């Protein structure tokens, strides 16, 4: 009997060994990533796509994504964040400030990477020196605010009153307003804040801003980005130009922007995630990363309507994509 048992054990061990030939622990590893995106619009969509592309390139089918779009609702953010914790996902992407705040409140153990966050200190109410620490890191969508002020001055040197239009419920927007106002005042502009609490207030506040301003500045603001058509209807009709904090807002209602690529910062965040998942990097020591470059862009249609002369070093929004499409079509024809 003992010989039979021993033979069975040896046989099972041989089968297990045979079946495991060529399969490493790394190859067998799979990852589930929770993605919480605050709202649907072009900039945040691009950041999420860049993140997913980077991780798919790193892990292929071994990575899966549990995606939630909160549609701008903070309660949905909290529910989704808690759901990720219950599901024990391996890592969380928090796309936009309210998403990051909800995830940070839900867990201090699961790694959280933020993206489309302008200022982590303002978002998390911490003293920020470049690294958050703990279980949080990520990328910022902050374009140089002093350079944005310089852009406004380059295009509208004779303006006197600049209005800053933003959502007061977004901490990052308040940070941008406070920061750029200093630079604008150094150029001699009179700066006035026009803040709205949610989308219900935008039209009335935009009308007041347009009536009292020569130029309006809108920071990277999710609520504004979701309501560019409404803002454009007010400001374009009043003949008041807008300098925007990012390309999506500029596409909808702006004249020009100093823009970053949200796809690029999403992709960088995905690369950071891969390093965390493989143990190559410790998230508590990872510094916040920024977009590698910025581009002067303009909205050709709105600029022409308002009669704004655009310098030669600006790129029309969509021009690069059109050029790539034409090149692909020519290559296909050959």
């Amino acid at each position: 009997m003992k010989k039979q048992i021993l033979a069975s054990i040896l046989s099972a061990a041989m089968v297990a060994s045979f079946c495991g030939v060529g399969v490493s622990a790394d190859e067998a590893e799979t990852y589930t990533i929770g993605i919480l995106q605050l709202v649907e619009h072009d900039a945040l969509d691009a950041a999420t796509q860049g993140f997913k592309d980077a991780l798919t390139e790193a892990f292929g089918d071994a990575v899966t994504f549990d995606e939630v779009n909160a549609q701008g609702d903070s309660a949905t953010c909290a529910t989704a964040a808690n759901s990720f914790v219950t599901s024990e996902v391996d890592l969380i992407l928090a796309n936009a400030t309210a998403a990051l705040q909800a995830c940070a409140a839900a867990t201090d153990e699961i790694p959280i990477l933020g993206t489309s966050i302008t200022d982590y200190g303002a978002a998390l109410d911490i003293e920020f020196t470049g690294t958050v620490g703990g279980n949080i890191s990520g990328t910022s969508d902050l374009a140089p605010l002093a350079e944005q002020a310089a852009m406004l001055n380059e295009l509208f040197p004779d303006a006197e009153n600049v209005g800053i239009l933003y959502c007061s419920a977004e901490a990052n927007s308040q940070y941008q307003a406070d920061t750029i106002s200093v630079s604008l005042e150094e150029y001699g502009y009179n700066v006035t804040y026009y803040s709205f609490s949610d989308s219900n207030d935008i039209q009335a506040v935009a009308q007041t801003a347009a009536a009292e301003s020569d130029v309006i500045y809108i920071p990277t603001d999710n609520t504004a980005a979701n309501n560019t058509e409404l803002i454009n209807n007010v400001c374009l009709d009043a003949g008041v130009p807008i300098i925007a904090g990012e390309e999506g807002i500029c596409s909808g209602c702006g004249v020009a922007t100093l823009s970053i690529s949200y796809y690029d910062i999403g992709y960088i965040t995905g690369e950071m995630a891969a390093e965390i998942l493989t143990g190559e990097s410790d998230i508590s020591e990872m510094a916040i990363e920024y977009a590698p470059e910025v581009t002067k862009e303009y909205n050709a249609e709105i600029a022409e309507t308002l009669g704004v002369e655009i310098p030669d070093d600006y790129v029309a929004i969509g021009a690069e994509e059109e050029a790539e499409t034409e090149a692909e079509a020519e290559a296909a024809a050959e």
Side-chain angles (χ1 to χ4, degrees), residues 142-294:
L142 180 64
L145 292 168
E147 292 182 30
Q148 291 188 18
M151 168 181 280
L152 189 150
N153 182 249
E154 177 182 38
L155 295 177
F156 307 105
D158 297 327
E160 294 182 1
N161 301 307
V162 176
I164 302 180
L165 181 66
Y166 67 99
C167 180
S168 57
E170 298 189 32
N172 283 334
S173 297
Q174 185 69 59
Y175 167 82
Q176 291 172 84
D178 292 341
T179 303
I180 198 170
S181 65
V182 175
S183 295
L184 291 170
E185 287 170 353
E186 289 175 354
Y187 284 110
Y189 294 114
N190 300 315
V191 179
T192 304
Y193 289 4
Y194 297 92
S195 63
F196 48 88
S197 57
D198 55 40
S199 58
N200 296 320
D201 300 333
I202 291 180
Q203 184 168 2
V205 175
Q207 287 173 338
T208 301
E212 299 176 354
S213 307
D214 301 312
V215 185
I216 289 174
Y217 174 76
I218 301 178
T220 54
D221 183 287
N222 292 304
T223 309
N226 233 19
N227 291 274
T228 56
E229 183 177 357
L230 188 157
I231 295 171
N232 188 54
N233 289 340
V234 171
C235 295
L236 191 63
D237 185 61
V240 178
I242 293 171
I243 296 297
E246 55 94 8
E247 182 183 88
I249 295 175
C250 192
S251 296
C253 62
V255 168
T257 181
L258 188 65
S259 184
I260 67 167
S261 166
Y262 277 78
Y263 180 89
D264 286 352
I265 62 169
Y267 193 93
I268 292 169
T269 314
E271 292 179 321
M272 296 171 73
E275 293 179 9
I276 294 165
L277 293 170
T278 58
E280 181 180 344
S281 296
D282 181 348
I283 190 171
S284 68
E285 299 175 354
M286 298 179 82
I288 300 302
E289 297 197 29
Y290 296 81
E293 59 185 28
V294 294

Side-chain angles (χ1 to χ4, degrees), residues 27 42 72 108 127 159 187 199 239 242 251 257 259 305 326 330:
E27 290 173 327
D42 291 345
D108 59 4
E127 187 172 332
Y187 284 110
S199 58
I242 293 171
S251 296
T257 181
S259 184
T305 300
E326 290 176 2
E330 290 175 1

Side-chain angles (χ1 to χ4, degrees), residues 54-208:
L55 281 171
T56 300
E57 288 178 21
F59 299 116
D61 294 338
V63 62
T64 57
F65 304 102
D66 181 2
E67 297 185 60
V68 176
N69 189 306
Q71 301 299 330
D73 183 62
S74 58
T76 303
C77 284
T79 300
N82 288 321
S83 176
F84 291 154
V85 174
T86 301
S87 300
E88 297 182 346
V89 297
D90 297 295
L91 183 142
I92 298 172
L93 173 71
N95 192 347
T97 300
L100 177 65
Q101 291 168 335
C103 292
T107 179
D108 59 4
E109 296 181 359
I110 296 174
I112 301 169
L113 288 174
T115 192
S116 312
I117 311 296
T118 304
D119 179 69
Y120 281 78
L124 298 171
D125 193 23
I126 59 172
E127 187 172 332
F128 176 65
T129 57
T131 302
V132 175
N135 65 321
I136 298 175
S137 188
T139 54
S140 170
D141 63 357
L142 180 64
L145 292 168
E147 292 182 30
Q148 291 188 18
M151 168 181 280
L152 189 150
N153 182 249
E154 177 182 38
L155 295 177
F156 307 105
D158 297 327
E160 294 182 1
N161 301 307
V162 176
I164 302 180
L165 181 66
Y166 67 99
C167 180
S168 57
E170 298 189 32
N172 283 334
S173 297
Q174 185 69 59
Y175 167 82
Q176 291 172 84
D178 292 341
T179 303
I180 198 170
S181 65
V182 175
S183 295
L184 291 170
E185 287 170 353
E186 289 175 354
Y187 284 110
Y189 294 114
N190 300 315
V191 179
T192 304
Y193 289 4
Y194 297 92
S195 63
F196 48 88
S197 57
D198 55 40
S199 58
N200 296 320
D201 300 333
I202 291 180
Q203 184 168 2
V205 175
Q207 287 173 338
T208 301

